[in-house]
Amino acid sequence: MTSLSVFATDLNLWEIKDFSIPILYSILADSSKYYRSFEIPKRRGGHRTIHSPYPVLAQIQKELLLTLQEQCATSEYSYAYCRGKNAIMHASVHLGCDELLTVDIENFFGSITRQQVHQALLEAGFENSFSHLASLLATLHRVLPQGASTSPLLSNVVFGPLDKRLSRLASHLQIKYTRYADDLAFSGNNIPRNLPKLIEKIISQKGYNLNKEKTALKIRGAKKIITGVSISSGASKPPRQFVRSTRAAVHNLEKNIGKLSAANSLDPLSYERTLGKLNYWLQIEPQNSYVARKKKILSEAHQRFLELGAGFNLDNYIERKA
């Protein structure tokens, strides 16, 4: 069997509809033909380019991801794209700190090269042929694409050695270090003012750059928010702006419960968005009775709203109004 056939067998690719070795050759020769690209707006302005793989490549990457998950260890300092970890846990590491430094890596996925992926897989114990083919299938234009299912895990695998190096630096400075995707956080009683320059010097050796506009040092008494969680009070809480906007959304939905005319003009996704915010709030504060109560009320109202929509008949509605 050829190395491609062995690779296909190892990943159960033969079970994928319309898959064949010629298709695999075609993907390896030019993977750009198997992606569609589009832009989505960033929360703070600008746009983010997403590269979404076509179904056959997406399924291959899904099988590849399952294989990688079995053997690739994730850094203990990483809290994104990890089973059993999340942004709230990431923030909780830094509770009680006097000072907090957060820095952001610019173009995180796009800074991770195919060669880095290949080397990281070798260090994880994979054979050279597997590492080579996997690195080709998981990259676009020789970097990790934002939109491929394999990119999050591979970013953690590649960045793992830098996590260890930055944690050693933090330990030497008697401060804490964690990372959530491209967001790096350092906290302690005293953050050296030249630490951002030290961080940039370390990561630039591996091809990364800091987004200096997002570097923020919060000292004692300042509002401290990390990955959407406020730690200013010494306990994990949702930020005040989040609380105000969520309460306003809840109030607006409650005003329209049972009012058909109002419901028809209401954005149907308002329920999903608001319930999503309430669920996130409960993750941060599981014992919050207000949130639990409002979630129950809106969940029941949402269900009635969906049932109403499912049974809506335009002809009957027009006849009644005539």
Side-chain angles (χ1 to χ4, degrees), residues 281-295:
W281 192 343
L282 278 176
Q283 288 182 53
I284 301 173
E285 295 183 313
Q287 306 303 320
N288 191 306
S289 59
Y290 164 83
V291 182
R293 186 173 68 257
K294 297 302 182 182
K295 177 186 173 182

Side-chain angles (χ1 to χ4, degrees), residues 166-218:
L166 292 170
S167 71
R168 288 196 297 268
L169 172 63
S171 179
H172 175 72
L173 297 173
Q174 298 184 322
I175 59 178
K176 296 177 181 178
Y177 162 72
T178 59
R179 177 175 62 85
Y180 191 85
D182 54 0
D183 295 320
L184 281 57
F186 299 80
S187 69
N189 295 329
N190 181 42
I191 301 292
R193 298 315 188 243
N194 66 336
L195 184 54
K197 290 185 178 179
L198 291 175
I199 297 168
E200 184 161 38
K201 182 178 179 181
I202 290 172
I203 68 172
S204 65
Q205 295 171 2
K206 297 296 183 180
Y208 301 97
N209 293 301
L210 292 185
N211 183 341
K212 294 185 172 119
E213 293 182 357
K214 292 186 177 181
T215 297
L217 174 64
K218 300 301 178 65

Side-chain angles (χ1 to χ4, degrees), residues 255-296:
K255 279 196 312 180
N256 293 307
I257 289 177
K259 297 179 182 178
L260 181 58
S261 59
N264 282 337
S265 65
L266 192 67
D267 177 6
L269 293 181
S270 294
Y271 277 110
E272 282 87 345
R273 294 192 186 102
T274 305
L275 285 169
K277 290 181 178 181
L278 291 175
N279 283 329
Y280 184 67
W281 192 343
L282 278 176
Q283 288 182 53
I284 301 173
E285 295 183 313
Q287 306 303 320
N288 191 306
S289 59
Y290 164 83
V291 182
R293 186 173 68 257
K294 297 302 182 182
K295 177 186 173 182
K296 183 176 185 298

Side-chain angles (χ1 to χ4, degrees), residues 81 108-109 112 144 150-160 179:
Y81 321 131
F108 184 49
F109 284 179
I112 298 176
L144 287 184
T150 44
S151 292
L153 181 143
L154 287 172
S155 71
N156 276 341
V157 175
V158 171
F159 205 85
R179 177 175 62 85

Side-chain angles (χ1 to χ4, degrees), residues 247-260:
R247 282 180 173 271
V250 168
H251 177 70
N252 185 52
L253 285 172
E254 283 189 312
K255 279 196 312 180
N256 293 307
I257 289 177
K259 297 179 182 178
L260 181 58

Side-chain angles (χ1 to χ4, degrees), residues 87-138:
I88 299 166
M89 295 171 66
H90 174 244
S92 69
V93 173
H94 303 278
L95 286 172
C97 66
D98 287 334
E99 298 188 350
L100 172 69
L101 171 69
T102 54
V103 299
D104 179 88
I105 297 176
E106 193 171 46
N107 190 24
F108 184 49
F109 284 179
S111 299
I112 298 176
T113 67
R114 187 201 68 77
Q115 184 57 41
Q116 287 176 314
V117 172
H118 185 184
Q119 185 61 37
L121 293 179
L122 288 176
E123 293 173 0
F126 290 102
E127 295 290 336
N128 181 62
S129 59
F130 176 93
S131 300
H132 175 68
L133 292 172
S135 68
L136 289 171
L137 289 169

Side-chain angles (χ1 to χ4, degrees), residues 25-39:
Y25 270 117
S26 177
I27 294 172
L28 294 172
D30 183 9
S31 64
S32 66
K33 295 186 297 185
Y34 291 84
Y35 284 91
R36 65 182 183 91
S37 301
F38 55 92
E39 292 186 338

